[in-house]
Amino acid sequence: MKKIFATICAALICIAATAQTTDYAKLVNPLIGTDGKGNVYPGAQAPFGMVQLSPDNGLPGWDRIAGYFYPDSTIAGFSHTHLSGTGAGDLYDISYMPVTKPVKVADAPLGVHSIFSHEREESEAGYYRVHLDSYGIDVELTATERCGVQRYTYPTDSATVLLNLGKAMNWDATTDTHIAIVDSFTIEGYRHSNGWARGQEVYFRTRFSKPIASMESKQVQIIRDGNIWMKPGTVELSFVLDNSRELTVVTALSGTGLEGAAKNLAAEAPHNDFDRYRAATQEHWNNRLSRIEVKGGTDDERVCFYTALYRTMIAPTLFCDVDGLYRGADKQNHTADGWKNFSTFSLWDTFRAAHPLFTLTAPSLVDDMVNSFIAHFEQHGRLPVWNMWGSETDMMIGYHSVPVIADAYLKGFRGFDAEKALAACIATANCDGYRGIGFYKEHGYVPYDVADPYNADNWAMSRTLEYAFDDYCIARMAEAMGKEDIADAFYSRAGNWRNQYNPATTFMQPRDSKGEFQPQFSPDEYTPHICESNAWHYMWSVQHDIEGLIKQMGKKRFEQKLDSMFTYSPGENDELPIFSTGMIGQYAHGNEPSHHVAYLFNHIGKPEKTREYVQQIMREMYRNTPDGICGNEDCGQMSAWYVMSAMGFYPVNPCGGEYELGMPLFPEMKLHLANGKEFTITCHFSGKALNNTSEQSEESKKRTKEIDSSVATLHRNDKKVCHFERSEESKKKRSPKLYLNGKRIKGTTISHKDIIEGGTLEF
């Protein structure tokens, strides 16, 4: 008996040890999304790190916005800064390329490059490897938070490395460069550029594991302020290797100056042991990724999930030196005292799900991010809209730092000055000369026919809806702080969405300064007055007042239009814009305004439709393939939708901590919380093939065919709406019971408090 007991104990210890040592980094496939519309990069990065060390194909273009496009066969360098799926081509700073003579050179813009094959390429969290076929060189990449680490293995004992500071792609243009020798192992310099980020300054210090045998610099012509300057462009460095034929290249970045780069290198990368850096960074990733533990599902589903979770931790990015010094929005250096400064905030995207997810998976960083917003406001006069590397790009619309701040405060985060934060929110909401805010306050909406110097994209109707939501968030925060007058004023402004609603068409509709709705309006049309969408997409952008929208429209009409959103497909000859991807009817999962819409069926007593569409989206639009993301990743929002939905809940209103319930993707998931508690989600759903992707896909295809048939009479002007109804027997079979800690859930929501207190959610 004792032997049996000992055997059982040993087995349990072995199982526990296995669970604790799961290598989550290897479950991540950063090549997902490098083809198609994902626009992501496959290289190495630490969680939320300043450095994104990744290969560049060397050619410009929309498909190569992140520097790398899977169908390409060339690599022209390994640069240290990249954007994750933003649709904006910038960065690519401090690009190194190992070569052997003779160097393979093509006409501009490709230049020096090598051929490579995906058969000799691998990528996982914190590590990337590729073989450069043209030179017989193996390249390996890893990174600390502020340093990129490369290891080159050459075919001979002599090595050449090219540093190209003049290389610029897409929106980026080099404006100044500098290179200097520090000692026989070390160089330093900077690259200044203009692009999406104006006035970007990247300083670097690089240490080589072997002494520099020779260094030859070539000038590059730079046009700046109408003048032509000759600056160091490319540097050719040669080395003599030992029998290992390896050269390690360690590069620290800084936004503050050469001294900052030197400090970062000394603190984070004092040695040349590539394997130690890789192990440390992958351990960092494992600690982050293990915060959600998945059981069951297919191998591909687990890879998709952990890759998505990984991508939610790519941005925002750390933007301060090891001593807290950082470059502010005023282009001056400042010190973050007791907090870390972050940048790369794609807020029009990430306020929806990525930031609410951080309150569960990265709560220690939430206060830092809010403090970063406050500092940006103090230096710039407005909260950030879309900032990176000390520059405000002013991309997209809304003042969506506000919901992130308010959500943090309402969830109990107190590591920032709430009075300062609220004051920054109010001041930003009252910047009358900025993007139609003055007109919005005057008319209760942004007129589409009034010129605004900041309103080049127009997007007037969308601005109204985005501003109304942000105003609601200010009201919630002010109310929680006991400031009733402020709350009342902004609750009133939050109702401005009604001024864009046309009861005659039952759509949100652009409106002019005289109060007239846009004539000859078609909800199918992509107009300059609606941001990257049509009226179908923005119909539902009232996340703070869905019940009010239902009341305004009428429940029956609301349901009809919601059904039509998923069944009314664009015509065969319709030309859709590049951001309308991942289509189910009019629903565009590849663009953020649609992201919450599938969950709205919960509000009309049809949760089975929410579950069905959410499952369809998860299974059909996230795949373990290079084209496995159906739209721009947008700094983690596409992935955050998937992570949240896979756990079975989603923040339709991303302010204040209530989540709409959907259907989990896996039989069991555990959320390991920062307070030491666990929140377990179990799914005992008895529906058909919940974890059988192929069968689900065939069922989905059949259902789609039936739906298409049922809406054959649908008029494009939405005067007649038909929608597919399931039988009552089918609904009953597919409707799970929901329990929280053993108690039946009434309704379709759980709260943030329910989750952080730990417990079990059962489907």
Side-chain angles (χ1 to χ4, degrees), residues 50 121 169 204 242 258 299 318 340 416 472 490 565 586 633:
M50 180 190 294
E121 179 185 42
M169 294 186 296
F204 73 94
D242 55 27
L258 296 174
D299 290 342
L318 185 67
K340 294 179 180 179
F416 57 89
Y472 158 84
F490 279 92
M565 177 73 169
Q586 290 293 325
E633 167 61 12

Side-chain angles (χ1 to χ4, degrees), residues 698-716:
E698 290 303 315
E699 183 180 333
S700 176
K701 290 176 183 177
K702 180 181 178 182
R703 180 175 64 255
T704 301
K705 185 177 181 181
E706 291 171 335
I707 290 173
D708 288 344
S709 175
S710 74
V711 297
T713 60
L714 181 68
H715 289 183
R716 296 188 65 78

Side-chain angles (χ1 to χ4, degrees), residues 638-661:
M638 283 289 289
S639 290
W641 184 96
Y642 182 79
V643 171
M644 298 288 279
S645 295
M647 290 194 290
F649 49 85
Y650 186 82
V652 167
N653 175 0
C655 176
E658 188 172 81
Y659 304 94
E660 290 288 343
L661 293 166

